[in-house]
Structure formats: C-alpha cells, structure tokens
Amino acid sequence: MLFRPFSLFVTGLAALLVCTSVRAQPQNPPPAASTALPAERPRVGLVLSGGGARGFAHVGVLKALEAAKVPVDLIVGTSMGAIIGGLYASGMTADDLEREILAVDWGGLFDRREPRQMLSQRRKEEDFELSPVLMLGFRKGEFVLPTGAVSTRSLEMLLRRYTLSTRHLATFDGLPTPFRAVATDMETGQAVVLDHGDLAAALRASMSVPAVFSPLEVDGRVLGDGGLVNNLPVDVARRMGADVVIAVNIGTPLAGRETLGSVVGITTQMVNILTEQNVQASIATLTRDDLLLAPPLGQLTSADFGRAPELVKLGHDYAKTVGEALARFAVDAPRYQRWVAAREAQALANAGRIGTVATVTFEGVNEQRADRLATTLSTTPGQRLDVPRLEDDLQRLAALGDFERVDYSLVRRDDGAEDLTVHLRENTWGPNYLRVGLDLRTDFQGQGAFNLRISHNRHWLNDSGAEWRNRVQLGETVGLYSEIYQPLTLRSDRFAAAYVDASLRKVELFGTEGEALALVQRQSLRVGADIGWPMGLLGNVGDMRVGLVAAQRRVRPELLAASIPASATTSLKWREVGLRGAVIADQLDYANFPSHGYRAQGEVVFGRRSFDGAPSSSFSSFEGTATAVKSWGPHTFNIGARLAKTSQIPLGAIDEYSLGGFQQLSGYRVGQVAGNYLVFGRMTYYRRLPWSPGVARAMFVGGSLEAGNAWTERRDISLGDLRAGSSLFVGADTGIGPLYLSIVSAPRGYTGLYLFLGRP
C-alpha cells in the first residue's frame, strides 16, 4: 500500500498541475424581457470543467438545476467534470450522485495496494521487513519507476459498476442525456473527444492525470487528462448542437507570491498559467445567451476528497444564488416532468437484464497464466452474473500485485447470456521488484544499531506462478536470505518452498543481574524445504508449512568477562537437522500502528544436534507470538504475547530467546534478558492524531506496559519473577517504516530516551 496521506498529497499536487484554472467570476446575464420560452426551446448544453475533488461542486450545481427545472439536453466534461457529467448522463439523478459520492471512501480509493488483509501471506510478510511504499522495478536491464503515483483500479471498478447499463450502446448519444468526454492524446498533444465505446474507460481516460494516474489506451491511443488541452470544452458542446451553454468552472485559483519560493511552487504555477490559457479561450467564446458559473470554493483544493459534503453544499448554495439566471433556461413543470420521464425510460431501456455468464476469458496474459488465474475466480460459466462477486474476484487478482490494470467487460449474446472478458495489464515496472528498508535505534547513552535492508522479488518465474525472493541486510547484522516458491499444481493451492538463510552478527551476553559478560560473534547458515497450504483465498489469511531444516552454527568469543568459566572461552560449532512445522495467520489492516485485526505465528522444530567432537542428541524448540488489535474511534488497544522454549544448551551456543529493547521490555538493553524459556506480554495504547505530514500515513501518541522474563532452567520459572517495562511515545508511520521517539523505563533496568526507526 502507497499509504494514504502520501497518495492524497501526490494526487493533489499533480491534479493542481494539470486540472486547474483561475476561478472565473459569474457573468451577469442580460435582463430578460420574459422568462417564457418559445414552443421550440433552445438546446441546453452543460459543460463541466476539471478540478479534482473540487469537481464535487458540480453535483451541487446539478441539484440546483433540477430544482430550477432546467432540462439539460447534452453534457460535455473534462476530468472530474467528465466523471460527474458522464454518470449524470447515464441516468443518475443529482441526489443519486450525492448519495453515491458521500458513500465512497475517497481516502482509500487511490491506494496502490488493495487492503492488506487481501494480500497473500508472502506480500504481508514483506511489510514487516521493508517499507511497502519505496518500490521500483527492474525490467530489461533498466530500473523503472511505477507509471502512476497512485492506483485507479478502485475508481475504474466504481465507474464500471455505475455505467454497467450502458455497456451495449453504440455511441454515447444513446445515453439518457447525450454525452462527450474530453481527453488528451499523449503522443500528439491533440484533444480527443470520446463519443462511443466503453463509457467507464472514457471517464477514466479523461482524468488520467500525468505522473499520478497511469494513462489509458483507448482505440490504440494513449490518453491522458483532458484538462491539458481543453479544461472547459465549450466548443465541443457547440459542435453537438447546443444553442445555449451553461459552463461550470471549478478550477483552483492561481497561487500567491508566497508559494513561488520553491521549484515545486514555480512549476505548479507555470502549468496553471498554461492551463488557464485554454480555459480563458473557452470563456471568450461564450455569448450573452450563455451562462458561466464559478462556485467560490475558497481554499479547498483538488486533493480534498475527504470534504465532499462541503464541496457539494458550496456548489448547491452558489447555484441557488443565481436562480434568476437559471430561470432563463427553465421550463414549466409538465414539460420538465416529460423530460425527466424520457430520461428514466431511456435508462430503463438501456439497463436490460443481466444474464448468465457464458464464457470467461483473460486478455493481457498468455494462455497458461490465464488458466492459473482462472482458478482464483469464483465467477464461472453457467452462473448468473453477480456483480459484487465479480468485483471481489477482480480485487483478489489486483491483490496479487502483478497488474497495474484489472478491469472487465461484458458482451451480450443473442440469447441474453454474457461473455465476460477480464482485462489485465502487467506492471510495466515488473516483474523484478526492489524495495529498501532501514532499522535504526539508539538509547542516547552510547548504545545503538543500524541496518540497511534491500529486497528483490521476481514474480512469475514460470507460468504456474513461481516466485524468487531475496533479501540482503547490512549493518549490525549481515544477512542473506533467498527463497524459491513454487505452486505444485494448477488446481491446487499447495506449494513447495526451498530457502537458505545466512547471518553474521555480534551479540552481547548478560548475567542474571544484567551485567555484560561477553561479546561474541555468531554465525548461522540454515537451509530448508517445505510443503505448504495457504489459508483463505489466495492465501490471504495465512499459511501452514511442514518440512525439513538443517543448520550449521558457530559462536566465536571476542570479549569475555573474568567471571566467564574457561570452558566458555573457546569457539563452539554444531549442526542441527530436524523436522519443522510452522503456521501463521495475519489479518492486521496495517503492519505498523494497526487499527484492527490479529496476527498469530508459531513454529516448532524436532531434531538432532551434534557438537564437534561429541555425539548427537535430540532437541526441540517452540516459539509462538500473537497480536490482537481493536479500535474505538481514534483510540487503539494493541495486545501482544510471546512464548518460547528450547532444549537445554550451553550459554551462547545458539540464538537464545531474549528480551530487551523498545516494547520488548522497554528500559532493558537488547538481549539483556535471555534464556531457554521465555514468557512475555504487552499492552499498548495509541491515539491517532488529527493531523499527518505528507511523508507519513498518520501520527500517533501512546504508551505501553510490558512484563516478561527468560529463564535458563525450567525449574527456575516463576511468574512472580516477571520483569516490567514501560514506554511513552510519539510515533509516525513513515514511508521508510515506523518511527518512535519514546521515554522508556524499567524498575530493574534504566529510564531514558529512545529513538527507533523500523521494526520494534
């Protein structure tokens, strides 16, 4: 997931670049001798400009037109004006538009990723290792950035649902109100007037804001936002036969001098000026018989999607103030009702009846991959078409992360059945994906660490969906991880995985009273192979694995306290072979600062261990963690627990289960509490703050209470011996990971300031 505030920030910036114009003052209409219209009234053309979220004001204007009984004979729109105008032209009323717009979660509509709960477990795990935002691709020997800053998949699905009844029309003249959308040919720079074909695609193409939304290919042309060339297309309405024009301009005013002190500000202003030229050229063609409306939207911007109710109201209130001007275009009640009835009849005739699914085909992928993807759909031939189910199917396909476009179309057969085509376009920046992550911590007392993580994922190694996943870590820990994931059969969710995990790090060992005893270098090489079963559709709940694992480990002392026994001053080297079982279920909405959901993970290993020069012996280990999150408004409670146990081994011989560090017994040093048996619990509260900077999804303030301990011998375990830790923090979910600035305290540890960036 781009996360949400960053997506809206970029959306707003680019929308300002290409879809804005200065707010025109309403032209005072000439005094009318009479409001009576001749028997053959003039054809009224409605022209709606682009302007991002400010386009919601168009809905308010439409409400006022309906209240004033102004019949609209044709509509032309650009960008957001095309979306509002196209939906109205398809048969929706202004009240319908208002209801649907206010029901949409516009904040999440443009997220690049689908909701995290829908991702496969492989994608979810990456969120705990690296930022989900900083991604680039590698294709044909070149690094490639995503073609758009945000995703339009959800918007396309929304438009598809609203315009489903129009899918069989030959031209947009067959809509209840004839309609045209204006886009820009990104190859020639010419204006393109869309008058036929797929209405949903036409609306989407008209608002393909460059650098924000990927351009859309329609009839062989790559189309971008129409505001680049004709943000107020009065001329198109004239060519459609409009005798009089009501033009609604909702563009954002030019910025003041105070914004011109940066490259971004100057660039924005420069493009605004260029866009304003085509708007002013359109305004200059208006006559005394036409009407120009410019709702005063103040400082509301093209990115203020969350303020839709306010924008609708502003448009409605303004349009009501020019009632006398609107009266020139009005008709009497009987004639207006005939106009309404004609629209309703045409909409009903267009809707027809949705039949059964005759065939399902995929466009944009080869036959083998299509066969694989078809197994993920619950929509199959012979079923009656269920649009919500189909949308769920396509959302699951989008959650794979491999396609920048996931859409569908229907073609009705003579017998009433429907041929369903799923349109896919693979990411132009794939199939190799690179991500970067950071870990940084310091207690401001000389103790700290830094790690840089880089991952590479290669999707679709073959047509059955194999993946190759790699991760390199540099810093406090030097590590390398590589895994091959291979689905076993076309019709089965089972998979096989083989992996290698190598690491080198320096670890401090502490005594029972927390005193430092040694600094050792710990090396580990682990290889394994698993058979697995995903849980949930596409593995979106979690997965289970069983397999074989083998490891070789070595500990080399570097610094030792005098109290360390002589037997512990030599290097230790040993091997392990065993049977491993693992299960994980993850339904958190966010990996960092989740607001609801749960995550549970467990691993058990049974096997044999052999030290150099000693006979092998059996060993077993178990570790389980769980997290549950619940929110009430901005208040969130996050409860976590951890249990672990391993066979008795010499001090420092393996990665003993340990506690210490931020929210892992805050107030203790990392690894200060360690042993063969571990118990830990934590309750964290945080409140989402009402503001968020552009580089973070959200900011939070909160605190945690923690309790736990680790013991070497089983007989030493006592809940009365639990240690306590606590923290108070300010945090943010940033583009490179969670950031905390915290005060930590522990009765048997220390009290101080702690800075943490990355995973706690």
Side-chain angles (χ1 to χ4, degrees), residues 250-266:
I250 44 82
T252 306
L254 291 175
R257 177 178 294 187
E258 66 278 3
T259 67
L260 304 181
S262 66
V263 174
V264 173
I266 292 175

Side-chain angles (χ1 to χ4, degrees), residues 424-702:
L424 302 174
R425 184 171 65 240
E426 295 187 44
N427 294 333
T428 55
W429 62 96
N432 294 282
Y433 301 96
L434 302 174
R435 302 203 312 184
V436 179
L438 291 175
D439 287 340
L440 172 66
R441 56 180 169 83
T442 178
D443 61 5
F444 297 97
Q445 297 180 13
Q447 297 290 327
F450 171 83
N451 288 298
L452 171 66
R453 296 176 178 177
I454 303 173
S455 79
H456 162 257
N457 278 10
R458 172 60 162 92
H459 295 187
W460 294 97
L461 278 171
N462 53 40
D463 289 328
S464 61
E467 294 186 10
W468 184 26
R469 178 184 175 194
N470 302 288
R471 184 177 71 249
V472 176
Q473 181 167 318
L474 302 172
E476 178 192 37
T477 298
V478 178
L480 173 66
Y481 178 85
S482 184
E483 181 187 55
I484 294 289
Y485 169 94
Q486 174 64 63
L488 290 179
T489 62
L490 180 65
R491 300 294 174 183
S492 172
D493 290 335
R494 289 180 299 169
F495 63 87
Y499 59 90
V500 57
D501 189 358
S503 66
L504 171 65
R505 62 177 304 201
K506 294 183 179 181
V507 180
E508 284 188 285
L509 302 180
F510 298 85
T512 56
E513 300 302 321
E515 72 278 13
L517 296 179
L519 178 66
V520 301
Q521 184 187 81
R522 188 169 289 166
Q523 303 174 15
S524 175
L525 175 63
R526 193 185 196 200
V527 297
D530 295 329
I531 299 294
W533 299 263
M535 298 185 294
L537 290 170
L538 299 180
N540 62 349
V541 173
D543 63 37
M544 299 178 290
R545 297 186 179 205
V546 294
L548 297 174
V549 61
Q552 179 172 296
R553 307 180 191 273
R554 183 173 183 176
V555 173
R556 179 180 299 168
E558 294 192 351
L559 293 175
L560 298 171
S563 59
I564 293 290
S567 61
T569 61
T570 59
S571 297
L572 290 174
K573 184 178 180 181
W574 68 99
R575 296 178 179 85
E576 298 171 351
V577 177
L579 180 66
R580 170 180 174 265
V583 62
I584 183 170
D586 186 343
Q587 287 290 282
L588 296 176
D589 58 344
Y590 296 99
N592 309 317
F593 300 100
S595 59
H596 65 268
Y598 64 88
R599 175 181 168 90
Q601 184 175 7
E603 180 183 271
V604 60
V605 180
F606 298 96
R608 305 287 294 181
R609 177 185 294 133
S610 61
F611 288 87
D612 283 349
S616 66
S617 59
S618 63
F619 80 96
S620 64
S621 64
F622 164 80
E623 182 173 12
T625 61
T627 299
V629 185
K630 179 70 174 178
S631 294
W632 290 267
H635 306 282
T636 300
F637 287 90
N638 184 323
I639 299 176
R642 180 184 174 203
L643 296 173
K645 174 264 179 186
T646 189
S647 300
Q648 176 80 19
I649 54 172
L651 177 67
I654 67 168
D655 287 324
E656 300 152 307
Y657 299 119
S658 64
L659 296 169
F662 181 63
Q663 291 195 350
Q664 298 294 320
L665 274 188
S666 301
Y668 287 86
R669 293 169 60 182
V670 174
Q672 188 172 346
V673 180
N676 298 315
Y677 301 87
L678 182 146
V679 174
F680 175 73
R682 178 187 65 242
M683 183 177 71
T684 305
Y685 162 81
Y686 41 88
R687 176 188 173 93
R688 181 167 182 166
L689 298 175
W691 66 86
S692 59
V695 296
R697 172 179 68 89
M699 294 186 65
F700 303 85
V701 60

Side-chain angles (χ1 to χ4, degrees), residues 50-127:
R54 291 167 65 97
F56 292 144
H58 289 317
V59 178
V61 173
L62 286 169
K63 291 179 65 176
L65 291 177
E66 289 183 344
K69 295 182 175 55
V70 176
V72 175
D73 298 290
L74 57 94
I75 302 175
V76 184
T78 296
S79 195
M80 184 59 84
I83 289 180
I84 300 300
L87 295 181
Y88 189 77
S90 70
M92 297 178 73
T93 67
D95 286 340
D96 293 337
L97 278 169
E98 182 179 27
R99 181 179 62 255
E100 295 296 335
I101 282 173
L102 299 187
V104 172
D105 176 18
W106 291 95
L109 192 68
F110 302 119
D111 283 350
R112 178 170 293 282
R113 292 200 318 183
E114 300 303 314
R116 186 175 179 275
Q117 297 93 325
M118 298 192 67
L119 304 181
S120 70
Q121 193 56 45
R122 300 187 305 284
R123 302 289 90 82
K124 291 176 187 174
E125 288 306 294
E126 295 169 4
D127 289 352

Side-chain angles (χ1 to χ4, degrees), residues 280-343:
Q280 289 301 323
S282 294
I283 292 175
T285 66
L286 296 175
T287 70
R288 292 173 59 85
D289 294 328
D290 302 322
L291 179 64
L292 175 64
L293 302 180
L297 305 181
Q299 298 302 310
L300 292 172
T301 72
S302 56
D304 285 326
F305 289 95
R307 302 178 71 175
E310 184 177 354
L311 285 159
V312 172
K313 185 176 186 301
L314 285 172
H316 186 220
D317 291 346
Y318 166 78
K320 289 195 301 183
T321 66
V322 294
E324 183 179 347
L326 294 178
R328 294 190 294 120
F329 306 92
V331 296
D332 56 41
R335 188 182 299 187
Y336 185 75
Q337 285 305 313
R338 288 196 295 273
W339 176 82
V340 171
R343 269 176 46 92

Side-chain angles (χ1 to χ4, degrees), residues 268-283:
T268 302
Q269 189 79 330
M270 178 182 66
V271 178
N272 286 351
I273 292 172
L274 295 175
T275 304
E276 169 62 10
Q277 292 178 0
N278 75 63
V279 171
Q280 289 301 323
S282 294
I283 292 175

